[in-house]
């Protein structure tokens, strides 16, 4: 390999990262912690006499991508108050600042279409732990949160919504769940 070719390879690795970005056509897998989170959510829904939500490869791709983006690029900015539902400028997506007044909600809701070609909008709940995200702690926090629990158990303004797809992403200190009203025929597999 010539020195020029080697230099271009190193530059490519720096710009793209050491691992290729997953594409909507790639088969996505759930880690052990992501599988635990999915199972815990389904057990919680069952305890409320609600049905299982099928796993979605598209929404899982979005959840995993966003968990990584948050871990690597997010920091709270008191000037513009972008929440963790925001997306950075450092990816193959349209960046957005999701504010607590929800005026920029559409920038988050459309990420499943933009990133994974999912048919409909997606709705996200996010969890952060400086010690590292884990399934039980994340679900326990969402269950007592007035803003998150309704999505999990279809209550309040989400009562008439029928979730037909769910995606799970856990990466370092972030845990994310994406809900969708459109069925996704592709499902992720469980990593070995």
């Amino acid at each position: 390999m010539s020195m020029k070719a080697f230099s271009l390879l190193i530059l490519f690795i720096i710009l793209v990262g050491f691992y290729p970005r997953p594409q909507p056509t790639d088969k996505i897998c759930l880690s052990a912690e992501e599988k635990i989170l999915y199972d815990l959510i389904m057990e919680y829904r069952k305890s409320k006499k609600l049905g299982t939500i099928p796993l979605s490869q598209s929404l899982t791709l979005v959840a995993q991508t966003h968990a990584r983006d948050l871990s690597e690029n997010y920091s709270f900015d008191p000037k513009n108050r972008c929440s963790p539902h925001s997306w950075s400028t450092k990816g193959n997506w349209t960046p957005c600042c999701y504010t607590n007044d929800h005026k920029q909600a559409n920038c988050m809701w459309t990420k499943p279409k933009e990133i994974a070609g999912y048919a409909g909008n997606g709705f996200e709940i996010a969890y952060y732990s400086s010690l590292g995200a884990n399934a039980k702690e994340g679900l326990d926090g969402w269950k007592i949160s007035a803003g998150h629990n309704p999505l999990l158990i279809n209550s309040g303004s989400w009562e008439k919504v029928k979730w037909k797809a769910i995606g799970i992403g856990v990466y370092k200190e972030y845990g994310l769940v994406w809900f969708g009203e459109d069925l996704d025929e592709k499902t992720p597999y469980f990593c070995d």
Side-chain angles (χ1 to χ4, degrees):
M1 178 181 284
S2 73
M3 189 59 160
K4 183 177 179 180
F6 181 74
S7 297
L8 287 173
L9 176 62
I10 296 300
L11 179 61
F12 177 77
I13 290 171
I14 291 168
L15 291 175
V16 175
F18 291 102
Y19 303 100
R21 294 184 196 275
Q23 299 298 313
T25 55
D26 292 346
K27 190 68 174 161
I28 305 300
C29 74
L30 288 180
S31 69
E33 199 65 25
E34 290 166 339
K35 170 78 165 85
I36 291 168
L37 180 54
Y38 174 75
D39 290 342
L40 288 174
I41 291 170
M42 293 310 115
E43 287 172 21
Y44 179 49
R45 287 179 57 82
K46 185 177 179 181
S47 76
K48 301 291 184 182
K49 301 191 181 347
L50 297 167
T52 299
I53 306 168
L55 273 167
S56 160
Q57 179 170 298
S58 298
L59 294 180
T60 296
L61 171 63
V62 175
Q64 291 174 347
T65 301
H66 197 207
R68 183 177 290 273
D69 180 47
L70 287 169
S71 179
E72 294 173 357
N73 302 307
Y74 178 75
S75 60
F76 180 72
D77 181 352
K79 182 181 175 190
N80 63 20
R81 304 210 188 280
C82 298
S83 80
H85 298 301
S86 301
W87 289 74
S88 77
T89 60
K90 298 181 177 155
N92 296 328
W93 52 75
T94 305
C96 78
C97 175
Y98 189 105
T99 54
N100 289 333
D101 61 11
H102 308 290
K103 288 183 179 179
Q104 303 297 325
N106 198 50
C107 77
M108 184 262 291
W109 295 341
T110 58
K111 284 297 178 262
K113 286 180 194 172
E114 179 182 351
I115 292 171
Y118 180 71
N121 287 338
F123 305 93
E124 175 188 66
I125 58 176
Y127 152 75
Y128 170 85
S129 172
S130 61
L131 300 176
N134 76 69
K136 183 177 180 335
E137 187 178 279
L139 181 60
D140 287 347
W142 288 325
K143 286 163 75 172
I144 60 170
S145 167
H148 297 96
N149 193 50
L151 278 87
L152 291 166
I153 60 168
N154 296 97
S155 65
S157 62
W158 303 98
E159 186 174 9
K160 294 183 180 180
V161 174
K162 180 163 174 52
W163 299 130
K164 294 182 183 171
I166 190 170
I168 309 289
V170 176
Y171 183 76
K172 294 187 177 179
E173 60 275 311
Y174 286 95
L176 301 168
V177 179
W178 280 77
F179 299 89
E181 296 177 77
D182 292 277
L183 190 62
D184 183 1
E185 297 295 330
K186 296 179 184 174
T187 59
Y189 66 98
F190 303 110
C191 305
D192 295 332

